[in-house]
Amino acid sequence: MKKLLFFLFSFLALANLNAQIVKPIKWSTKVEKLSDSEFNLVMEGKIDEGWHVYSQFTPADGPLPAEFEFKESKGNYELVGKVKESPYKKAFNDVFEVDEYFFEKNVIFTQKVKILNPKLTSIKAKIDYQVCKQACINDNMSFTFQLPNNGQVPEETATNIAEIDTASSSQFTVSETTKPETKTVVEALKKEDEKGLWTIFFLAFLGGLAALLTPCVFPMIPMTVSFFTKQSKNPAQGKRNAILYGISIIAIYVVLGLAITGIFGADALNALSTNPWFNVFFFLLLVVFAVSFLGAFEIMLPNSWANKVDRQADRGGVIGILFMALALAIVSFSCTGPIVGTLLVESASKGGIAPIIGMLGFSTALALPFMLFAMFPSWMHALPKSGGWLNTVKVSLGFLELALAFKFLSNADLVLQLHLLERELFLAIWIAIFGAWALYLLGKITTPHDSPLTYISVGRLSLGLLVLAFTIYMIPGLFGAPLKLISAFPPPQTYSESPTGFFGNSATSYKDGLPNGAEIGPHGLTVFTDYETGLAYAKIVNKPVMLDFTGYACVNCRKMENNVWSDEKVLNVLKNEVVLISLYVDDKRELPKREQTVSKETGNEIKTIGDKWTEFIITKYKTNTQPFYVLIDLKEEKLNTPISYTPNIDDYLAWLKDGISKFK
């Protein structure tokens, strides 16, 4: 009896939660006047406890990023740079297998604009965003920014900030101040960013150490040390010159990082990193780098540059040492260029000052040996002699570059949903790359610049066995294994030719028996993604319908599918006793023009398929959260109380059986 009462109260609580439109963000807004023609348009969101909203820089194959639209700009105003945002938190999402960037408690978005039309009095804008807790909500907000000093906003209202609800439009007022609680949030979030910068520095430092062990750089260590010991009048001067030389190397690469950040902006490359076409560009760039490392050709700067710099290095003194460091960067470019390029691509995708931190880590590792061996020349005896092992390091880096390149191509394919590089194909390519690398290390294949190999050293054999073991580890992934060690790299298991596993119902064989309009869903389920089509099929087979309001970027929807739907008893019910209709509220495909309209309920534009199902859940069931499950009969009437996120398998199964029993 106690269990029955508990179950009943649980459903009543869920019914109370689900039968309402949830608005977990309250927006306050302002316009900051920078000059007579330039303004900052500021959107500040107060986020309810426990909820979080995603950054515009969240990877495209993860949760939905925030998107901005500024309307009627042509001839009236222009956007200056990208939308800026307060520092976000970062965490790895094990469902989507990517890092996600999000805000808790507070978020601030700022867009700078330059007014072109002096008669312009207002600017209209819209933000689309996803906010999640136990459920996810895809929401949007329309704003009207009233520009000051155009007869619209009196000067005396300059400090007002309007609190608004996300269901209405807003009028922005002018403010010169920042709220104290906002500053506290910013300071707290900066600590999270600092952790990420230390990670970038460490990885870049490892990249610098790898660059040292290439045939373009390693032989230069004894040459440079010899120069300083012979040219210096005394040991103290030699040490000073060596330190200055190391600092010059660091300065050159840090300036490169500064240039990248200055030219593109602190967040511009971050935004571009989620663009599919730039991911394709990065893929092609890394393939070129990899082919160069494998020995097809060398990427070299013009010889005239090196000659000119060498002449300047002969001047001596501080200027001469600086040009010596520049000469090292130019001469070694064929080996360091691909590594630097990869580091810049990776660090730039993090935004902010990451490119500068990346170059600082790389150049520190590169400069340290030159400094230390020049200061302590006796250490030179401990250095291994140059030889074929240097080319082995270079070729190994080429294999790694090639493997990393396909991650960028996979990002583009996931964003565009082309299904050209699904999980199996991605893993097959990686198995081929790492398998070839293992054969290379074991001496079974050679590249153009390899020296004759009479035996394999213990170190090379150990690395070869490690790479071979990793290759074998990836093979079960072709048959559905999760591969947790590399979960952040390949596409998710749902993005696969065989979603049910290689030995389950394969996509080809299973598709032959699918009803018209149905697709293969999680765990091989037959799923309809159109309401009318699914309902018509339910009437033919005389089964109840389970509506699954979900989203491609809904974390808890995936958790329900992975942890609850996968249960044998639940899966049996979903396969055999209901017709499953999954309606994706974040489907960005546009509706035909004749079906595009404006919602009578919310006033929002209905342009996409996702908008259509969002409107449907709001008008029909008076909620806007996902996941949301509804059991209906063939007359479209509810069989029992709908439920949302329910991670307890027994509760979810009891809910299913309760609705099905009422249908029968």
Side-chain angles (χ1 to χ4, degrees):
M1 186 65 181
K2 288 182 178 179
K3 287 187 176 180
L4 180 63
L5 287 172
F6 175 78
F7 187 66
L8 185 61
F9 281 125
S10 296
F11 269 124
L12 288 172
L14 282 170
N16 184 56
L17 171 67
N18 294 328
Q20 59 179 322
I21 306 298
V22 182
K23 295 290 183 183
I25 302 183
K26 296 292 184 295
W27 293 94
S28 64
T29 58
K30 60 184 176 182
V31 171
E32 295 176 343
K33 183 177 180 181
L34 305 176
S35 68
D36 289 340
S37 62
E38 291 187 326
F39 300 89
N40 276 339
L41 310 181
V42 184
M43 298 156 272
E44 181 178 351
K46 288 278 191 176
I47 307 169
D48 289 352
E49 188 68 32
W51 291 83
H52 55 270
V53 65
Y54 292 102
S55 161
Q56 61 187 316
F57 303 127
T58 289
D61 47 345
L64 281 184
E67 295 180 353
F68 301 88
E69 179 185 357
F70 292 87
K71 302 181 179 182
E72 301 171 358
S73 61
K74 189 174 181 179
N76 289 316
Y77 64 94
E78 62 181 24
L79 305 180
V80 181
K82 298 284 186 179
V83 174
K84 305 293 183 183
E85 56 183 44
S86 52
Y88 47 65
K89 287 190 174 182
K90 176 182 174 183
F92 182 74
N93 186 315
D94 57 2
V95 175
F96 293 116
E97 299 175 345
V98 297
D99 286 330
E100 60 182 21
Y101 312 133
F102 58 92
F103 306 92
E104 294 176 336
K105 297 184 180 179
N106 188 283
V107 60
I108 300 173
F109 296 113
T110 305
Q111 175 63 62
K112 184 178 179 181
V113 296
K114 183 177 182 180
I115 305 302
L116 304 177
N117 179 5
K119 296 182 179 179
L120 184 68
T121 58
S122 64
I123 294 175
K124 293 183 178 180
K126 180 184 176 185
I127 175 176
D128 288 282
Y129 58 91
Q130 184 179 67
V131 56
C132 293
K133 190 179 180 182
Q134 283 190 332
C136 287
I137 299 169
N138 300 315
D139 210 344
N140 60 66
M141 178 67 199
S142 295
F143 304 113
T144 300
F145 295 80
Q146 296 291 353
L147 301 177
N149 300 331
N150 286 317
Q152 300 297 320
V153 181
E155 288 294 333
E156 56 269 19
T157 65
T159 58
N160 293 340
I161 297 179
E163 289 290 337
I164 58 174
D165 186 271
T166 52
S168 63
S169 63
S170 70
Q171 291 190 344
F172 282 61
T173 55
V174 182
S175 175
E176 302 296 333
T177 61
T178 303
K179 295 182 178 181
E181 58 267 32
T182 301
K183 292 179 180 178
T184 304
V185 171
V186 170
E187 289 169 4
L189 294 178
K190 279 182 179 177
K191 294 179 181 178
E192 192 70 25
D193 275 359
E194 288 172 4
K195 295 179 184 177
L197 292 177
W198 276 111
T199 302
I200 290 170
F201 179 87
F202 176 72
L203 293 175
F205 189 86
L206 291 179
L209 294 178
L212 276 171
L213 302 177
T214 58
C216 311
V217 180
F218 190 81
M220 297 185 71
I221 296 175
M223 293 169 54
T224 306
V225 171
S226 175
F227 173 83
F228 281 122
T229 54
K230 290 179 180 179
Q231 297 297 320
S232 303
K233 295 178 181 179
N234 53 64
Q237 186 185 29
K239 291 179 180 180
R240 283 198 304 271
N241 289 342
I243 293 172
L244 183 58
Y245 181 67
I247 293 172
S248 299
I249 293 173
I250 294 172
I252 288 168
Y253 284 100
V254 169
V255 167
L256 177 60
L258 280 168
I260 294 294
T261 304
I263 292 170
F264 294 100
D267 294 317
L269 279 175
N270 188 321
L272 290 176
S273 69
T274 62
N275 183 294
W277 307 116
F278 271 86
N279 273 282
V280 171
F281 170 75
F282 292 153
F283 162 72
L284 295 173
L285 185 67
L286 293 187
V287 167
V288 171
F289 288 162
V291 173
S292 170
F293 267 171
L294 292 173
F297 55 84
E298 287 192 356
I299 302 172
M300 298 183 66
L301 296 175
N303 288 330
S304 59
W305 291 18
N307 294 333
K308 289 179 181 177
V309 170
D310 277 339
R311 287 195 293 270
Q312 293 297 323
D314 292 337
R315 295 170 57 180
V318 174
I319 299 298
I321 291 174
L322 179 62
F323 276 100
M324 278 185 64
L326 186 58
L328 170 69
I330 293 173
V331 171
S332 64
F333 183 79
S334 61
C335 290
T336 59
I339 300 174
V340 169
T342 305
L343 287 172
L344 283 174
V345 168
E346 282 293 300
S347 59
S349 68
K350 308 298 180 185
I353 62 170
I356 301 170
I357 299 299
M359 289 301 94
L360 179 62
F362 175 84
S363 57
T364 300
L366 195 66
L368 272 176
F370 289 94
M371 295 168 60
L372 292 174
F373 283 112
M375 293 171 68
F376 307 100
S378 60
W379 291 5
M380 290 291 298
H381 300 295
L383 272 181
K385 294 181 180 180
S386 300
W389 67 272
L390 290 174
N391 192 65
T392 303
V393 173
K394 185 177 178 182
V395 172
S396 295
L397 290 173
F399 281 112
L400 284 173
E401 291 264 4
L402 191 59
L404 183 60
F406 281 93
K407 172 57 180 170
F408 287 98
L409 186 61
S410 174
N411 289 344
D413 185 59
L414 282 164
V415 172
L416 298 174
Q417 289 289 300
L418 297 177
H419 288 269
L420 298 176
L421 190 60
E422 293 177 317
R423 185 179 177 88
E424 291 90 346
L425 181 56
F426 181 95
L427 288 174
I429 292 170
W430 265 40
I431 289 168
I433 292 172
F434 283 92
W437 185 14
L439 291 174
Y440 171 79
L441 291 170
L442 297 174
K444 300 302 180 183
I445 58 177
T446 57
T447 59
H449 300 295
D450 281 319
S451 303
L453 188 65
T454 55
Y455 67 93
I456 299 175
S457 66
V458 174
R460 180 167 175 166
L461 177 62
S462 301
L463 182 59
L465 291 174
L466 184 64
V467 175
L468 181 61
F470 179 69
T471 305
I472 296 171
Y473 166 79
M474 288 191 289
I475 293 174
L478 297 172
F479 308 99
L483 303 182
K484 293 182 180 179
L485 285 179
I486 58 169
S487 60
F489 289 93
Q493 288 181 308
T494 53
Y495 197 78
S496 168
E497 292 180 16
S498 304
T500 59
F502 191 80
F503 293 114
N505 293 319
S506 71
T508 304
S509 62
Y510 193 66
K511 237 175 183 177
D512 294 337
L514 284 177
N516 288 334
E519 300 177 2
I520 302 171
H523 315 296
L525 290 168
T526 299
V527 178
F528 291 87
T529 55
D530 180 77
Y531 178 74
E532 297 296 338
T533 305
L535 183 62
Y537 178 74
K539 291 177 180 178
I540 294 172
V541 297
N542 193 35
K543 289 182 180 179
V545 170
M546 190 183 90
L547 295 179
D548 163 36
F549 289 95
T550 183
Y552 294 111
C554 171
V555 176
N556 285 325
C557 301
R558 298 293 84 76
K559 286 182 178 179
M560 287 294 294
E561 293 166 5
N562 295 341
N563 303 329
V564 179
W565 288 15
S566 60
D567 178 78
E568 185 177 352
K569 293 178 181 178
V570 174
L571 191 58
N572 182 60
V573 171
L574 296 178
K575 277 186 176 180
N576 302 310
E577 298 187 46
V578 299
V579 173
L580 178 59
I581 303 177
S582 293
L583 304 177
Y584 288 85
V585 299
D586 57 0
D587 191 328
K588 296 298 184 182
R589 291 175 295 171
E590 280 203 2
L591 290 165
K593 291 292 183 184
R594 65 181 182 277
E595 295 183 28
Q596 295 183 16
T597 182
V598 176
S599 168
K600 294 179 181 178
E601 186 84 14
T602 63
N604 294 330
E605 295 177 337
I606 300 174
K607 284 185 168 183
T608 66
I609 293 174
D611 294 338
K612 177 182 177 180
W613 302 134
T614 300
E615 175 72 2
F616 181 50
I617 190 175
I618 290 174
T619 55
K620 183 79 173 176
Y621 299 109
K622 307 302 177 186
T623 188
N624 58 344
T625 61
Q626 297 84 46
F628 188 72
Y629 306 105
V630 188
L631 283 170
I632 63 172
D633 61 20
L634 302 181
K635 295 181 181 179
E636 304 179 59
E637 298 295 332
K638 291 184 290 185
L639 292 168
N640 57 4
T641 305
I643 61 172
S644 186
Y645 180 67
T646 309
N648 185 286
I649 293 173
D650 292 335
D651 289 351
Y652 193 79
L653 184 61
W655 173 78
L656 281 172
K657 289 183 174 180
D658 174 63
I660 293 168
S661 66
K662 290 176 181 176
F663 177 82
K664 292 178 179 179

Short mmCIF file of all heavy atoms in Angstrom, two decimals, residues 7-19 621 628-632 637-644 646 651-652 654-656 658-659 662:
data_model
loop_
_atom_site.label_atom_id
_atom_site.label_comp_id
_atom_site.label_asym_id
_atom_site.label_seq_id
_atom_site.Cartn_x
_atom_site.Cartn_y
_atom_site.Cartn_z
N PHE A 7 3.98 5.80 -5.43
CA PHE A 7 3.93 5.84 -6.89
C PHE A 7 2.90 6.87 -7.36
O PHE A 7 3.14 7.65 -8.29
CB PHE A 7 3.57 4.45 -7.41
CG PHE A 7 3.64 4.32 -8.91
CD1 PHE A 7 4.86 4.44 -9.56
CD2 PHE A 7 2.50 4.08 -9.65
CE1 PHE A 7 4.94 4.32 -10.93
CE2 PHE A 7 2.58 3.97 -11.02
CZ PHE A 7 3.79 4.08 -11.67
N LEU A 8 1.74 6.91 -6.67
CA LEU A 8 0.68 7.85 -7.03
C LEU A 8 1.12 9.29 -6.82
O LEU A 8 0.93 10.16 -7.67
CB LEU A 8 -0.57 7.54 -6.19
CG LEU A 8 -1.83 8.34 -6.50
CD1 LEU A 8 -2.27 8.10 -7.93
CD2 LEU A 8 -2.96 7.97 -5.54
N PHE A 9 1.76 9.55 -5.65
CA PHE A 9 2.24 10.91 -5.36
C PHE A 9 3.32 11.34 -6.34
O PHE A 9 3.42 12.51 -6.71
CB PHE A 9 2.75 11.01 -3.92
CG PHE A 9 1.65 11.13 -2.91
CD1 PHE A 9 1.56 10.23 -1.86
CD2 PHE A 9 0.69 12.14 -3.01
CE1 PHE A 9 0.54 10.34 -0.93
CE2 PHE A 9 -0.33 12.24 -2.07
CZ PHE A 9 -0.41 11.33 -1.02
N SER A 10 4.17 10.39 -6.77
CA SER A 10 5.22 10.69 -7.75
C SER A 10 4.61 11.17 -9.05
O SER A 10 5.07 12.13 -9.66
CB SER A 10 6.10 9.46 -8.00
OG SER A 10 6.77 9.09 -6.82
N PHE A 11 3.54 10.47 -9.47
CA PHE A 11 2.90 10.87 -10.72
C PHE A 11 2.22 12.23 -10.61
O PHE A 11 2.24 13.04 -11.53
CB PHE A 11 1.86 9.82 -11.14
CG PHE A 11 2.43 8.76 -12.03
CD1 PHE A 11 2.33 7.43 -11.68
CD2 PHE A 11 3.08 9.10 -13.20
CE1 PHE A 11 2.87 6.45 -12.50
CE2 PHE A 11 3.62 8.13 -14.01
CZ PHE A 11 3.52 6.80 -13.66
N LEU A 12 1.63 12.49 -9.43
CA LEU A 12 0.99 13.79 -9.23
C LEU A 12 2.02 14.91 -9.27
O LEU A 12 1.78 15.98 -9.83
CB LEU A 12 0.24 13.81 -7.89
CG LEU A 12 -1.04 12.96 -7.83
CD1 LEU A 12 -1.58 12.91 -6.40
CD2 LEU A 12 -2.10 13.54 -8.78
N ALA A 13 3.20 14.65 -8.68
CA ALA A 13 4.27 15.65 -8.70
C ALA A 13 4.74 15.90 -10.12
O ALA A 13 4.97 17.04 -10.53
CB ALA A 13 5.44 15.19 -7.82
N LEU A 14 4.91 14.81 -10.88
CA LEU A 14 5.34 14.95 -12.28
C LEU A 14 4.30 15.69 -13.09
O LEU A 14 4.62 16.51 -13.95
CB LEU A 14 5.60 13.56 -12.89
CG LEU A 14 6.91 12.90 -12.51
CD1 LEU A 14 6.93 11.46 -12.98
CD2 LEU A 14 8.08 13.66 -13.13
N ALA A 15 3.02 15.37 -12.83
CA ALA A 15 1.96 16.04 -13.57
C ALA A 15 1.98 17.53 -13.30
O ALA A 15 1.80 18.36 -14.20
CB ALA A 15 0.61 15.45 -13.17
N ASN A 16 2.23 17.91 -12.04
CA ASN A 16 2.30 19.32 -11.70
C ASN A 16 3.46 20.01 -12.38
O ASN A 16 3.37 21.15 -12.83
CB ASN A 16 2.42 19.47 -10.18
CG ASN A 16 2.39 20.92 -9.73
OD1 ASN A 16 1.45 21.63 -10.04
ND2 ASN A 16 3.43 21.34 -9.02
N LEU A 17 4.63 19.28 -12.49
CA LEU A 17 5.81 19.85 -13.15
C LEU A 17 5.58 20.01 -14.64
O LEU A 17 5.93 21.01 -15.24
CB LEU A 17 7.01 18.93 -12.90
CG LEU A 17 8.28 19.25 -13.70
CD1 LEU A 17 8.85 20.58 -13.24
CD2 LEU A 17 9.32 18.15 -13.55
N ASN A 18 4.96 18.98 -15.26
CA ASN A 18 4.86 18.95 -16.70
C ASN A 18 3.75 19.84 -17.24
O ASN A 18 3.79 20.26 -18.38
CB ASN A 18 4.62 17.51 -17.18
CG ASN A 18 5.83 16.63 -16.89
OD1 ASN A 18 6.94 17.12 -16.91
ND2 ASN A 18 5.59 15.36 -16.61
N ALA A 19 2.71 20.09 -16.44
CA ALA A 19 1.56 20.85 -16.94
C ALA A 19 1.79 22.34 -16.81
O ALA A 19 0.92 23.07 -16.36
CB ALA A 19 0.31 20.43 -16.18
N TYR A 621 0.02 20.15 -24.89
CA TYR A 621 0.30 19.59 -23.56
C TYR A 621 0.77 20.63 -22.54
O TYR A 621 1.14 20.26 -21.42
CB TYR A 621 1.32 18.45 -23.69
CG TYR A 621 0.80 17.34 -24.57
CD1 TYR A 621 1.34 17.12 -25.83
CD2 TYR A 621 -0.26 16.53 -24.15
CE1 TYR A 621 0.85 16.11 -26.66
CE2 TYR A 621 -0.75 15.52 -24.97
CZ TYR A 621 -0.19 15.32 -26.23
OH TYR A 621 -0.69 14.32 -27.04
N PHE A 628 9.90 14.36 -22.85
CA PHE A 628 8.51 14.39 -22.41
C PHE A 628 7.80 13.26 -23.12
O PHE A 628 7.85 13.17 -24.35
CB PHE A 628 7.87 15.74 -22.73
CG PHE A 628 6.51 15.93 -22.13
CD1 PHE A 628 6.35 16.15 -20.77
CD2 PHE A 628 5.37 15.91 -22.94
CE1 PHE A 628 5.10 16.34 -20.22
CE2 PHE A 628 4.11 16.11 -22.39
CZ PHE A 628 3.97 16.32 -21.03
N TYR A 629 7.17 12.38 -22.34
CA TYR A 629 6.57 11.17 -22.90
C TYR A 629 5.07 11.17 -22.67
O TYR A 629 4.60 11.43 -21.54
CB TYR A 629 7.19 9.92 -22.26
CG TYR A 629 8.71 9.91 -22.35
CD1 TYR A 629 9.50 10.19 -21.24
CD2 TYR A 629 9.35 9.64 -23.56
CE1 TYR A 629 10.88 10.18 -21.32
CE2 TYR A 629 10.73 9.64 -23.65
CZ TYR A 629 11.49 9.91 -22.53
OH TYR A 629 12.86 9.93 -22.63
N VAL A 630 4.31 10.89 -23.74
CA VAL A 630 2.85 10.88 -23.68
C VAL A 630 2.34 9.60 -24.34
O VAL A 630 2.72 9.29 -25.47
CB VAL A 630 2.25 12.10 -24.42
CG1 VAL A 630 0.74 12.18 -24.17
CG2 VAL A 630 2.93 13.39 -24.01
N LEU A 631 1.48 8.86 -23.64
CA LEU A 631 0.80 7.70 -24.21
C LEU A 631 -0.61 8.12 -24.63
O LEU A 631 -1.37 8.64 -23.80
CB LEU A 631 0.73 6.55 -23.20
CG LEU A 631 2.03 5.75 -23.00
CD1 LEU A 631 1.89 4.81 -21.80
CD2 LEU A 631 2.39 4.97 -24.25
N ILE A 632 -0.94 7.92 -25.90
CA ILE A 632 -2.26 8.32 -26.40
C ILE A 632 -2.91 7.15 -27.13
O ILE A 632 -2.23 6.22 -27.60
CB ILE A 632 -2.17 9.54 -27.34
CG1 ILE A 632 -1.34 9.21 -28.59
CG2 ILE A 632 -1.61 10.75 -26.62
CD1 ILE A 632 -1.37 10.31 -29.65
N GLU A 637 -6.28 10.83 -27.49
CA GLU A 637 -6.55 11.17 -26.10
C GLU A 637 -5.49 10.53 -25.20
O GLU A 637 -5.05 9.39 -25.45
CB GLU A 637 -7.94 10.68 -25.68
CG GLU A 637 -9.08 11.31 -26.46
CD GLU A 637 -9.21 12.80 -26.20
OE1 GLU A 637 -8.82 13.25 -25.10
OE2 GLU A 637 -9.68 13.52 -27.11
N LYS A 638 -5.11 11.22 -24.13
CA LYS A 638 -4.10 10.69 -23.21
C LYS A 638 -4.63 9.45 -22.48
O LYS A 638 -5.78 9.45 -22.03
CB LYS A 638 -3.70 11.77 -22.19
CG LYS A 638 -2.90 12.91 -22.78
CD LYS A 638 -2.45 13.91 -21.72
CE LYS A 638 -3.63 14.69 -21.16
NZ LYS A 638 -3.20 15.75 -20.21
N LEU A 639 -3.77 8.45 -22.38
CA LEU A 639 -4.14 7.23 -21.67
C LEU A 639 -3.83 7.32 -20.18
O LEU A 639 -4.45 6.65 -19.36
CB LEU A 639 -3.41 6.03 -22.28
CG LEU A 639 -3.85 5.65 -23.71
CD1 LEU A 639 -2.88 4.66 -24.33
CD2 LEU A 639 -5.26 5.07 -23.68
N ASN A 640 -2.82 8.10 -19.84
CA ASN A 640 -2.48 8.34 -18.43
C ASN A 640 -1.71 9.65 -18.36
O ASN A 640 -1.57 10.37 -19.37
CB ASN A 640 -1.69 7.18 -17.81
CG ASN A 640 -0.41 6.86 -18.58
OD1 ASN A 640 -0.07 7.54 -19.55
ND2 ASN A 640 0.29 5.82 -18.14
N THR A 641 -1.19 9.97 -17.20
CA THR A 641 -0.48 11.25 -17.02
C THR A 641 0.88 11.20 -17.70
O THR A 641 1.67 10.29 -17.45
CB THR A 641 -0.28 11.54 -15.52
OG1 THR A 641 -1.55 11.51 -14.87
CG2 THR A 641 0.37 12.90 -15.32
N PRO A 642 1.19 12.16 -18.57
CA PRO A 642 2.51 12.18 -19.21
C PRO A 642 3.62 12.33 -18.16
O PRO A 642 3.40 12.84 -17.06
CB PRO A 642 2.45 13.42 -20.11
CG PRO A 642 1.00 13.66 -20.33
CD PRO A 642 0.32 13.24 -19.06
N ILE A 643 4.81 11.88 -18.51
CA ILE A 643 5.95 12.00 -17.61
C ILE A 643 7.14 12.61 -18.34
O ILE A 643 7.18 12.64 -19.58
CB ILE A 643 6.36 10.64 -17.00
CG1 ILE A 643 6.79 9.66 -18.09
CG2 ILE A 643 5.25 10.08 -16.14
CD1 ILE A 643 7.38 8.37 -17.54
N SER A 644 8.11 13.08 -17.57
CA SER A 644 9.33 13.65 -18.13
C SER A 644 10.49 12.72 -17.80
O SER A 644 10.35 11.51 -17.85
CB SER A 644 9.55 15.06 -17.57
OG SER A 644 10.64 15.68 -18.19
N THR A 646 12.64 10.26 -16.24
CA THR A 646 12.35 9.25 -15.21
C THR A 646 13.44 8.18 -15.26
O THR A 646 13.29 7.15 -15.93
CB THR A 646 10.97 8.61 -15.45
OG1 THR A 646 9.99 9.64 -15.62
CG2 THR A 646 10.56 7.70 -14.30
N ASP A 651 9.86 2.51 -12.40
CA ASP A 651 8.81 3.54 -12.51
C ASP A 651 8.40 3.74 -13.96
O ASP A 651 7.21 3.86 -14.28
CB ASP A 651 9.31 4.86 -11.92
CG ASP A 651 9.42 4.81 -10.39
OD1 ASP A 651 8.95 3.82 -9.80
OD2 ASP A 651 10.00 5.75 -9.81
N TYR A 652 9.41 3.79 -14.84
CA TYR A 652 9.11 4.02 -16.26
C TYR A 652 8.33 2.84 -16.84
O TYR A 652 7.36 3.03 -17.58
CB TYR A 652 10.42 4.22 -17.03
CG TYR A 652 10.24 4.77 -18.43
CD1 TYR A 652 10.00 6.12 -18.65
CD2 TYR A 652 10.30 3.91 -19.53
CE1 TYR A 652 9.84 6.61 -19.93
CE2 TYR A 652 10.14 4.40 -20.82
CZ TYR A 652 9.92 5.76 -21.02
OH TYR A 652 9.74 6.25 -22.29
N ALA A 654 6.41 0.72 -15.19
CA ALA A 654 5.06 0.74 -14.61
C ALA A 654 4.18 1.76 -15.33
O ALA A 654 2.99 1.50 -15.57
CB ALA A 654 5.15 1.06 -13.11
N TRP A 655 4.77 2.91 -15.67
CA TRP A 655 4.00 3.94 -16.40
C TRP A 655 3.58 3.42 -17.77
O TRP A 655 2.44 3.62 -18.20
CB TRP A 655 4.87 5.20 -16.54
CG TRP A 655 4.26 6.25 -17.41
CD1 TRP A 655 3.26 7.14 -17.08
CD2 TRP A 655 4.58 6.53 -18.78
NE1 TRP A 655 2.95 7.94 -18.15
CE2 TRP A 655 3.75 7.59 -19.21
CE3 TRP A 655 5.50 5.98 -19.68
CZ2 TRP A 655 3.80 8.11 -20.49
CZ3 TRP A 655 5.56 6.50 -20.96
CH2 TRP A 655 4.72 7.55 -21.37
N LEU A 656 4.50 2.75 -18.48
CA LEU A 656 4.18 2.18 -19.79
C LEU A 656 3.03 1.17 -19.69
O LEU A 656 2.06 1.22 -20.44
CB LEU A 656 5.41 1.51 -20.39
CG LEU A 656 6.48 2.39 -21.03
CD1 LEU A 656 7.71 1.55 -21.38
CD2 LEU A 656 5.95 3.07 -22.29
N ASP A 658 0.82 0.78 -17.37
CA ASP A 658 -0.43 1.41 -16.94
C ASP A 658 -1.19 1.98 -18.13
O ASP A 658 -2.40 1.75 -18.30
CB ASP A 658 -0.12 2.52 -15.92
CG ASP A 658 -1.35 3.32 -15.54
OD1 ASP A 658 -2.28 2.73 -14.96
OD2 ASP A 658 -1.39 4.53 -15.86
N GLY A 659 -0.48 2.72 -19.01
CA GLY A 659 -1.15 3.30 -20.17
C GLY A 659 -1.62 2.25 -21.16
O GLY A 659 -2.73 2.33 -21.70
N LYS A 662 -4.82 0.47 -20.16
CA LYS A 662 -6.02 1.28 -20.38
C LYS A 662 -6.42 1.28 -21.85
O LYS A 662 -7.60 1.36 -22.19
CB LYS A 662 -5.77 2.71 -19.89
CG LYS A 662 -5.66 2.80 -18.37
CD LYS A 662 -5.33 4.20 -17.91
CE LYS A 662 -5.21 4.23 -16.38
NZ LYS A 662 -4.79 5.56 -15.87
#
